[in-house]
Amino acid sequence: MTVEEHLAQAKKIVEPFAVEMASPDPWRLDVVILPANLIPVLQALKDAHWGYLSAITGLDYPPADGQEGQLEALYHLVMNGVVLTIRVKVPYAHPELESVCQVYPAASLYERELMEMFGFVLKGTPSTERLLLADDWPQGVYPLRKSFQSGKAQEEQA
Amino acid sequence: MTSERKFIVPIGPQHPALKEPGHFEFTVDGEIVTDASVRLGYVHRGIEKGAEERSWIQDLYLFERVCGICSHVHATAFALGVERLAGVEAPPRAQAIRSLVAEMERIHSHMLWLGVAAHEGGFDTLFMYSWRDREIVMDLLEALTGNRVNYSANVLGGVKCDITDTLRDQILRGMDQLEERIQHYLNVVTTDRTFLARTEGVGRMTREQADLFGAVGPTARASGVPRDVRVDAPYAFYPTVPVQLITDERGDLLARFVVRIKELFEAVRLIREILAHLPEGELTVRMPRRIPAGEVISRVEAPRGELFYFIKSNGGEKPERVKVRTPSLCNWGSVMQVAVGHKLADMPMILAGIDPCFSCNDRMIQLKRKDSRQWMTWEDLRQYGIEYYKKVL
């Protein structure tokens, strides 16, 4: 199958759930969905044997101009040369998403990273134990949020 | 009679099987593993956070240090991504050299793995021979880039090392030597009875499992999954020199050995092809200091499988976010599921079978002597080493 055919197939599956769709590169499809649709859309892709979950990227949008802070999770699915990105945004106050391990069991490692680095709450995830951060790392401090400053950044400011 | 009580065998973080720290817990029922879990992060350095605080150029060097074995693919993935964001394309000669170094790196990485895996299987002779022969490609990498690890061949917008005629002949000679040795290793791992007893039918991962757990690289290809970024989405010089996909249907440890050794042949073939089709021209193009706002995904095939970079720019001198997903992480997820049902004694081999990333020692080739301002050449240093040990002994 060609890149175009893979893209067309992906488009057909995700269209019913999409709030917004974009194609930033000829071999990419970016789809914004509502958090409630996360499992249905991934399940639909898996049922159609469309690709595998390659990575989950977390993004932080700190509060600005009276807007409350938000977290975004990007689920990157790869099928040969095509990358489909499912994007979901949640507010700081309720950073809750359904765990995708019921669809992709190996996602557990990615989810543990997402929880400790950004402070997502992933309902139903099989393990909430620390994967990367030290055991004595303080609770509620999420290093990949923009509000967290590393030692280097603090030094530069001082 | 089955017992309700669980017996957990903790391994790590420091242990003899793996040269890098990791903590594993195997729940066993007698000899058989019934559950497995992993705890990583003992060498977590906060590189993704660090990248947000450094300039694009500094980050190239930072990402090259994610891994000591496959440093070049990290720098390549980052450079290709940033170049795409900036709307710049590196010249053809630079792309060819990127692919050339990448294949030489694959040879060194696969041979390093072959040695480590053989050692885990109790076959130390194979370990020593494969590491001796690996020096051929290490010397070539050093001759080309000046470094044994963290070659630093890439710059944003191209490469900084060039191939001379002498060097080309040197590389071709090295490839001839290596090819002969690789054939020998393929014979050994497929015919030696004691070795086959440790690998045949052990740690089998079916194609369905590999697909479901998202395994990548040789681990996936050894289960018959046709997955290789160089084939699926060719980058750098691979559109000009297409890669032959290597798979094996068996899915066991033996298949992982066979796939990686066959990939060594393929890398040798690619290196010859690249050198035969090396384009003339510039090595770099100009890069802007500020990178236009946007998001890119950059995927390359590291020795261990698909390496995934997500790069976001806000239009400034530093990236807004860089996400790195290394192939080992995918393969950890799969191997932990596959471990269940196997004997505890097979765990070191099964873990080593996915080629988890090990650190390797780096060395200096040039150093400043206290009493003089002269730099030592590689030959000087080699001679110095020989003399030094003569004195000690």
Side-chain angles (χ1 to χ4, degrees), chain A residues 72-133:
Chain A
E72 190 176 28
L74 279 60
Y75 296 80
H76 306 285
L77 283 94
V78 171
M79 180 75 155
N80 295 349
V82 176
V83 183
L84 164 67
T85 304
I86 307 282
R87 312 179 75 118
V88 220
K89 261 191 188 175
V90 287
Y92 271 11
H94 302 282
E96 266 183 33
L97 282 173
E98 201 73 44
S99 162
V100 301
C101 288
Q102 47 185 302
V103 187
Y104 299 104
S108 172
L109 291 178
Y110 308 152
E111 292 194 339
R112 282 163 75 180
E113 188 183 345
L114 216 51
M115 288 184 283
E116 60 190 21
M117 292 295 169
F118 285 94
F120 279 93
V121 176
L122 300 173
K123 283 185 293 181
T125 193
S127 169
T128 53
E129 276 174 49
R130 288 257 165 89
L131 177 70
L132 299 167
L133 293 178

Side-chain angles (χ1 to χ4, degrees), chain B residues 80-118:
Chain B
L80 286 171
V82 178
E83 285 161 14
R84 191 136 34 82
L85 263 179
V88 165
E89 206 173 323
R93 193 175 174 87
Q95 302 286 20
I97 293 173
R98 279 177 180 172
S99 284
L100 179 80
V101 178
E103 292 310 314
M104 283 164 63
E105 183 176 68
R106 194 177 318 277
I107 293 178
H108 116 70
S109 177
H110 279 10
M111 292 193 77
L112 179 111
W113 168 81
L114 179 65
V116 173

Side-chain angles (χ1 to χ4, degrees), chain A residues 3 24-25 27-28 30 46 51-62 72 74 76 78-83 85 87 103-106 109-110 112-113 116-118 129-135 142-153 156, chain B residues 25 37-44 46-50 52-54 58 84 210-216 226-229 232-233 295-299 306 308-310 312 314 318-326 328-334 336-337:
Chain A
V3 166
D25 271 303
W27 43 271
R28 269 179 70 194
D30 260 32
K46 194 183 158 198
Y52 64 100
L53 181 67
S54 177
I56 309 178
T57 301
L59 291 176
D60 178 35
Y61 300 88
E72 190 176 28
L74 279 60
H76 306 285
V78 171
M79 180 75 155
N80 295 349
V82 176
V83 183
T85 304
R87 312 179 75 118
V103 187
Y104 299 104
L109 291 178
Y110 308 152
R112 282 163 75 180
E113 188 183 345
E116 60 190 21
M117 292 295 169
F118 285 94
E129 276 174 49
R130 288 257 165 89
L131 177 70
L132 299 167
L133 293 178
D135 290 329
Y142 306 114
L144 280 180
R145 285 205 189 176
K146 292 286 173 191
S147 54
F148 178 85
Q149 286 200 318
S150 73
K152 182 182 187 290
E156 274 174 5
Chain B
E25 279 184 9
S37 72
V38 59
R39 164 85 159 96
L40 304 170
Y42 298 98
V43 284
H44 194 267
I47 283 182
E48 288 179 27
K49 187 75 186 177
E52 294 173 13
E53 297 166 352
R54 286 167 177 81
Q58 287 175 317
R84 191 136 34 82
D211 247 334
L212 180 65
F213 302 141
V216 293
R227 195 175 280 170
D228 188 325
V229 186
D232 299 336
E295 293 176 358
V296 284
I297 287 169
S298 184
R299 294 195 304 141
E306 179 203 34
F308 188 105
Y309 268 67
F310 172 90
K312 184 176 178 175
N314 53 18
K318 296 171 183 176
E320 167 80 9
R321 169 95 171 99
V322 184
K323 158 80 190 169
V324 185
R325 199 273 295 134
T326 59
S328 286
L329 195 61
C330 295
N331 290 333
W332 277 131
S334 56
M336 290 330 247
Q337 313 263 355

Side-chain angles (χ1 to χ4, degrees), chain B residues 37-183:
Chain B
S37 72
V38 59
R39 164 85 159 96
L40 304 170
Y42 298 98
V43 284
H44 194 267
R45 293 149 289 168
I47 283 182
E48 288 179 27
K49 187 75 186 177
E52 294 173 13
E53 297 166 352
R54 286 167 177 81
S55 74
W56 292 97
I57 294 170
Q58 287 175 317
D59 281 342
L60 182 71
Y61 297 91
L62 187 62
F63 285 114
E64 187 147 32
R65 277 148 186 81
V66 168
C67 176
I69 299 174
C70 54
S71 60
H72 176 74
V73 283
H74 279 272
T76 305
F78 184 70
L80 286 171
V82 178
E83 285 161 14
R84 191 136 34 82
L85 263 179
V88 165
E89 206 173 323
R93 193 175 174 87
Q95 302 286 20
I97 293 173
R98 279 177 180 172
S99 284
L100 179 80
V101 178
E103 292 310 314
M104 283 164 63
E105 183 176 68
R106 194 177 318 277
I107 293 178
H108 116 70
S109 177
H110 279 10
M111 292 193 77
L112 179 111
W113 168 81
L114 179 65
V116 173
H119 168 72
E120 302 306 345
F123 201 164
D124 274 347
T125 319
L126 181 57
F127 153 59
M128 287 175 197
Y129 275 125
S130 64
W131 277 38
R132 181 197 68 183
D133 295 333
R134 173 176 163 268
E135 285 301 312
I136 298 172
V137 77
M138 295 303 279
D139 284 348
L140 292 174
L141 279 165
E142 181 159 22
L144 174 59
T145 65
N147 298 310
R148 278 171 64 91
V149 289
N150 296 338
Y151 321 111
S152 198
N154 278 296
V155 291
L156 294 180
V159 294
K160 62 180 164 205
C161 54
D162 202 2
I163 310 261
T164 60
D165 286 348
T166 341
L167 193 56
R168 193 189 57 217
D169 296 343
Q170 205 181 333
I171 295 174
L172 289 173
R173 271 200 307 278
M175 289 306 123
D176 292 345
Q177 268 178 301
L178 272 170
E179 200 172 35
E180 216 173 281
R181 297 303 300 166
I182 298 164
Q183 186 59 53

